[in-house]
Amino acid sequence: MEWETVIGLEVHVQLSTRSKLFSGTSTAFGAAPNSQANIYDLAMPGTLPVLNGEALRMAVRFGLAIGAEISRKSVFDRKNYFYPDLPKGYQTSQLEFPTVGRGSIVIHLDDGSEKEIGVTRAHMEEDAGKSLHEEFATDSGIDLNRAGTPLLEIVSEPDLRSAGEAVAYLKKLHSIVRYLDISDGDMSQGSMRCDANVSIRRPGAELGARTEIKNVNSFRFVEKAIHYEVRRQQDVLEDGGTIVQETRLYDSVRDETRPMRGKEVANDYRYFPEPDLLPVVIDEELIEQVRAELPELPDARRQRLREKFGLSDYDAGVLTASREVADYFEQTASACGDAKLAANWVSVELRGLLNRENLSIADSPISATCLAGLICRIKDGTISGKIAKTVFEHLADGEASVDEIIEKEGLRQVTDTREIENLVAQVIAENAPQAQQYRDGRQQVLGYLVGQAMKLSRGKANPAQVNQLLRDKLQP
Amino acid sequence: MLHLSVTELAAELSRGAFSSVELTRACLDRIRQRNPRLNAFITVCEESALAEAAGADRARARGDTRPLLGIPLAHKDIFCTRGLPTTCGSRMLRHFLPPYDAGVVEKLREAGAVLLGKTNMDEFAMGSSNETSFFGPVCNPHDPDKVPGGSSGGSAAAVAGGLCPMATGTDTGGSIRQPASFCGITGFKPSYGRVSRWGMIAFASSLDQAGTLTRTAADAALMMQAMAGLDPRDSTSVDRPVEDYAGEAGVSLRGLRVGVPLPHFTEGLSAGVEQGVRAALGELEKAGAELIDIDLPNNYLSVPAYYVVAPAEASANLSRYDGVRYGYRCEEPKDLEDLYTRTRSEGFGEEVKRRILVGTYALSAGYYDAYYVKAQRIRRLIRRDFARAFAKVDVIAGPTSPHVAFAHGAKADPVEMYLEDIFTIAVNLAGLPAISVPAGHDRGLPFGLHIIGPDFSEARVLGVAHQFQQLTDWHLQLPRDTHLSPTSPGHPPFRTPEDTHHSRNAREGAS
């Protein structure tokens, strides 16, 4: 009998504010340990929190972007537990009254269909510091640079039905926070962290007992961890066992999930409202201000590119997953006036180049204007599409401009009729048997002859002209 | 000069009767002489005090006329002072040197006051007798066998004993007003949010408020003028204009509607105090005030509600004292668990531990609604009681404490001690301003009249208190020095900042 997988994700997104959630300390990544911790971050006696207004605006931005309710009044709470990297002995978070309420995110599935995933809530909280166990022989080090960095914890409904859907949701979330410019979403640096709640059930049955897989730090690992966990739960249930509700850690080396030690999870956090902060009141004015600043979001842009440039939904999806790529594409398309060619060049050649060189589009050696120039030369017949790829490689190496490369390498397409006539004559002479076959009615031999002519011209001859002249010359 | 009020001292300094250095030196001599018996100061900073006084004298010579310029001051040891030990009366912070000043400390420094030192207090402000301090109990200058009240007992004893003319305190459930009552001085707690809590070590964040201990209400007004105001570093500090507190001292008692809360005159109030407080109310009436009986129907719930809310907040506020970054750390911890357990077991005293346990329990899963949520509901009811009363009266007046100062060790049962604050606690739960002014003596010991005003009526409360002090002279009756002859020769009179600097590397466990 079939099993149905039920997944809900809790995603921590690190907000890209300049300073921490409750103190003025810098949040820049990679500074020397404890160089970015002020007296509040160190939880010195008598120090008090002051909410970072920028972080609040970012949370509202996210809420508006996913069509969520924005709480007019939200409340911070203290979540109490002892750990050396938690200086105050409590984490300031939001339990009962989060800033962002119910909203939704649309994901696009491989079969081309769309699915709406509910977002239960998104709340603001401060990050903890880091415990460093490797650097010291017998002691543990504490680095409080990260302590107090603002996080937005985005909790989904259990609407996801496969590891693939979970990854699509996560990628969409990644795309949204980047479009909104509220986080770099970099999973490898912990700017985006994911906990997955996984259960299985017989279709139509009540929800099964779930396990929570903690801190999975890449899209690929999320997929693998869920796959593993689903298989594990199936095995347990099919062997007549029961699923224990527990927290598990994903081990990417062994590709398995393992239960965390009981002690690490059996916590009573004794939440209560943070008395050092007043409830956060968000008025219409702030909401409207933030709404007015909202950029175009991935779904809207996808649709616009489809309509404006006549792109396929697939192409539009690929091009809009990242705002930077979409910007690049639009710039290229407008400059060269051919969206289809631009879409192909951006999503195939350019993407290939960037992947190969491990570059982000911001660091692309070929600018959008430059790529548009190249496409123009294809369109005006100066070079063929094939030659354009050669020019592209030269451009990737940082060489000069499109026109200079064409001139220097002598890549200009031959369109001079006399020159092509000579070429055709030479081909007919050197391939007499094939020419005869064509004259005898074997039409398909023409392709071979065109190929020979192109080869002879080192790709520079205009293929359409070659084709036409060959037909004319071999006319019986 | 040590018997003069701040107002009088300011006048004398400005007419050049003596200098701030002379005044400061007189205070320091007095501290040296009396502190061994009173134990009011934990740390005295002679050198920097004299330097500050000299600076104040130079400023005055240049024409500076700020009212607090050159007036000696003591801070309760709960206010962080940059580079000066700030212990909060606890072994946990015995050697803690803050790298920052509290907002209150900054403001009084900017006003030109001269810092003499830091005063003793109940550990983390948890106590009503000043017996929970790691640095030993404070004695009441009126009778050293008696407690000075708490938790700001060191500040109250220092002002009453003539060791300094003014001191800061904090009041979470009565910690300024009750010691003021026991020591026969004026203790003022402003509305919650009026004075910055930045740099003031937290006990119960939603109740804690800084205030003043002085001889007179006019002195309190001078201090408040310097201390009050918005501090953007404290999100609960209030953005509203600071009134002219000294100017409002001219307020008239004629036609003033004074609410007399029935619940404050029932059970537990000693006969002597009741008689005295009724006589004090009579003085107000004679001056033209109208006495109106009022009920505060939920007042009886204030102590239980307080002993849920305050410990709950304290249990979280004190979690930071874990031996990891600063403060006391146990010797050679075996592992993390051991570090936490022994550091906190050894670093905190009994009362602090009791309240952390109570607060932790009240917030635990399954008990939260029954305790914390219910206590918050009571808090709203108490606020509503006051709001209804203030629709009919301008101020509320009654006893500050049910009785006069008691003997050291007399209240061993914690719950009995908690009932000390039965008249003061509701004011903190409601966040109101209130003052205790000396109103009489019972068996030779002082007690106070408690005057409560509506939200942010600091000027009115101080004005009424000032008018009362124009009619009475209880605030001028200083303790006789015969009680205070120094004892135990050879015992250092107090700690100096250097003591802490030198002993910082000493092993803690041996103490």
Side-chain angles (χ1 to χ4, degrees), chain A residues 306-323:
Chain A
R306 259 171 33 206
E307 287 166 5
K308 180 174 168 189
F309 297 111
L311 298 180
S312 71
D313 186 56
Y314 177 81
D315 281 348
V318 169
L319 289 169
T320 54
S322 137
R323 183 168 76 169

Side-chain angles (χ1 to χ4, degrees), chain A residues 446-463:
Chain A
L446 186 67
Y448 170 79
L449 293 171
V450 172
Q452 291 304 307
M454 292 305 292
K455 203 167 156 187
L456 204 57
S457 75
R458 298 204 325 278
K460 291 186 290 181
N462 181 315

Side-chain angles (χ1 to χ4, degrees), chain A residues 405-453:
Chain A
I405 292 166
I406 293 171
E407 287 314 314
K408 201 171 119 216
E409 302 294 320
L411 296 173
R412 183 177 289 275
Q413 184 162 259
V414 176
T415 50
D416 179 354
T417 314
R418 204 174 314 147
E419 226 175 293
I420 295 179
E421 273 176 356
N422 291 340
L423 204 63
V424 164
Q426 195 181 340
V427 167
I428 292 172
E430 286 173 7
N431 299 278
Q434 287 83 356
Q436 193 50 49
Q437 281 175 4
Y438 179 81
R439 286 197 194 92
D440 293 345
R442 282 196 63 199
Q443 298 278 332
Q444 58 269 50
V445 180
L446 186 67
Y448 170 79
L449 293 171
V450 172
Q452 291 304 307

Side-chain angles (χ1 to χ4, degrees), chain A residues 103-118:
Chain A
S104 67
I105 288 173
V106 173
I107 60 171
H108 298 263
L109 304 177
D110 287 343
D111 64 3
S113 64
E114 291 182 354
K115 184 174 175 181
E116 186 172 305
I117 306 301

Side-chain angles (χ1 to χ4, degrees), chain B residues 153-189:
Chain B
S155 286
V159 172
L163 281 61
C164 66
M166 62 177 181
T168 54
T170 58
D171 191 317
T172 305
S175 278
I176 286 175
R177 292 160 289 156
Q178 185 252 20
S181 178
F182 279 16
C183 291
I185 61 168
T186 303
F188 180 62
K189 177 203 105 70

Side-chain angles (χ1 to χ4, degrees), chain A residues 124-263:
Chain A
M124 302 171 72
E125 62 185 24
E126 56 180 349
D127 207 346
K130 281 180 184 164
S131 296
L132 313 165
H133 300 295
E134 287 79 23
E135 285 83 344
F136 305 90
T138 53
D139 297 335
S140 288
I142 311 287
D143 179 4
L144 295 178
N145 283 356
R146 201 182 66 182
T149 300
L151 300 176
L152 191 65
E153 180 175 340
I154 302 156
V155 182
S156 86
E157 291 285 302
D159 288 347
L160 301 158
R161 290 290 172 271
S162 68
E165 288 188 18
V167 171
Y169 169 84
L170 208 54
K171 286 189 167 164
K172 191 56 172 287
L173 209 53
H174 181 264
S175 167
I176 291 172
V177 299
R178 301 230 358 143
Y179 264 71
L180 293 172
D181 202 16
I182 60 173
S183 174
D184 65 20
D186 190 338
M187 289 190 86
S188 67
Q189 294 197 351
S191 305
M192 195 161 143
R193 282 168 259 163
C194 178
D195 302 336
N197 288 296
V198 179
S199 65
I200 59 171
R201 64 175 171 187
R202 297 299 184 189
E206 296 277 295
L207 283 176
R210 66 187 161 87
T211 56
E212 182 180 10
I213 314 169
K214 280 272 183 204
N215 257 331
V216 203
N217 59 9
S218 79
F219 294 125
R220 200 163 58 90
F221 291 159
V222 168
E223 189 161 18
K224 293 178 87 169
I226 293 172
H227 271 312
Y228 174 87
E229 183 58 18
V230 167
R231 220 174 311 122
R232 187 191 70 84
Q233 292 189 10
Q234 283 178 7
D235 289 348
V236 170
L237 292 177
E238 281 168 6
D239 288 350
T242 50
I243 301 300
V244 186
Q245 181 159 342
E246 63 185 355
T247 305
R248 300 176 70 90
L249 282 177
Y250 177 66
D251 179 339
S252 57
V253 178
R254 297 197 201 166
D255 187 24
E256 62 177 29
T257 66
R258 277 197 305 272
M260 276 172 90
R261 282 182 295 131
K263 217 170 159 186

Side-chain angles (χ1 to χ4, degrees), chain B residues 199-241:
Chain B
M200 186 176 110
I201 299 178
F203 160 16
S205 310
S206 73
L207 301 162
D208 296 344
Q209 180 61 203
T212 65
L213 291 127
T214 55
R215 304 236 167 81
T216 69
D219 290 1
L222 283 178
M223 280 186 81
M224 276 302 296
Q225 209 71 58
M227 289 162 65
L230 174 72
D231 184 344
R233 296 168 298 182
D234 172 3
S235 305
T236 62
S237 119
V238 172
D239 187 9
R240 56 187 292 157

Side-chain angles (χ1 to χ4, degrees), chain B residues 2-260:
Chain B
L2 294 176
H3 60 281
L4 298 177
S5 69
V6 173
T7 316
E8 291 160 335
L9 288 171
E12 296 296 297
L13 284 170
S14 95
R15 78 178 176 89
F18 44 77
S19 68
S20 174
V21 168
E22 288 169 306
L23 173 59
T24 302
R25 194 163 276 140
C27 287
L28 292 170
D29 289 346
R30 178 82 170 175
I31 292 169
R32 194 173 288 282
Q33 184 193 358
R34 301 291 181 227
N35 201 57
R37 188 74 180 99
L38 292 180
N39 198 26
F41 278 85
I42 292 175
T43 304
V44 175
C45 36
E46 292 201 33
E47 231 173 276
S48 62
L50 288 169
E52 284 173 28
D57 287 334
R58 285 195 299 274
R60 188 177 302 283
R62 287 194 304 267
D64 192 337
T65 59
R66 285 173 295 165
L68 295 183
L69 181 67
I71 310 275
L73 160 78
H75 281 305
K76 184 177 182 178
D77 211 13
I78 200 167
F79 292 99
C80 288
T81 40
R82 187 199 308 266
L84 190 63
T86 301
T87 69
C88 223
S90 181
R91 180 183 193 185
M92 190 62 89
L93 292 177
R94 188 181 185 186
H95 300 306
F96 177 60
L97 285 176
Y100 50 97
D101 277 332
V104 163
V105 172
E106 286 173 357
K107 288 215 166 199
L108 286 167
R109 174 170 296 143
E110 281 159 22
V114 169
L115 181 60
L116 295 171
K118 310 290 291 290
T119 58
N120 205 343
M121 56 183 285
D122 279 301
E123 185 179 7
F124 283 100
M126 296 176 186
S128 305
S129 66
N130 224 302
E131 293 170 300
T132 71
S133 171
F134 174 71
F135 298 91
V138 176
C139 295
N140 191 318
H142 290 269
D143 177 353
D145 292 336
K146 301 290 194 292
V147 302
S151 66
S152 311
S155 286
V159 172
L163 281 61
C164 66
M166 62 177 181
T168 54
T170 58
D171 191 317
T172 305
S175 278
I176 286 175
R177 292 160 289 156
Q178 185 252 20
S181 178
F182 279 16
C183 291
I185 61 168
T186 303
F188 180 62
K189 177 203 105 70
S191 309
Y192 184 79
R194 181 69 291 181
V195 175
S196 169
R197 291 190 297 117
W198 169 259
M200 186 176 110
I201 299 178
F203 160 16
S205 310
S206 73
L207 301 162
D208 296 344
Q209 180 61 203
T212 65
L213 291 127
T214 55
R215 304 236 167 81
T216 69
D219 290 1
L222 283 178
M223 280 186 81
M224 276 302 296
Q225 209 71 58
M227 289 162 65
L230 174 72
D231 184 344
R233 296 168 298 182
D234 172 3
S235 305
T236 62
S237 119
V238 172
D239 187 9
R240 56 187 292 157
V242 176
E243 298 163 282
D244 177 2
Y245 299 129
E248 292 289 324
V251 93
S252 170
L253 295 180
R254 188 153 301 280
L256 184 81
R257 297 169 302 166
V258 178
V260 180

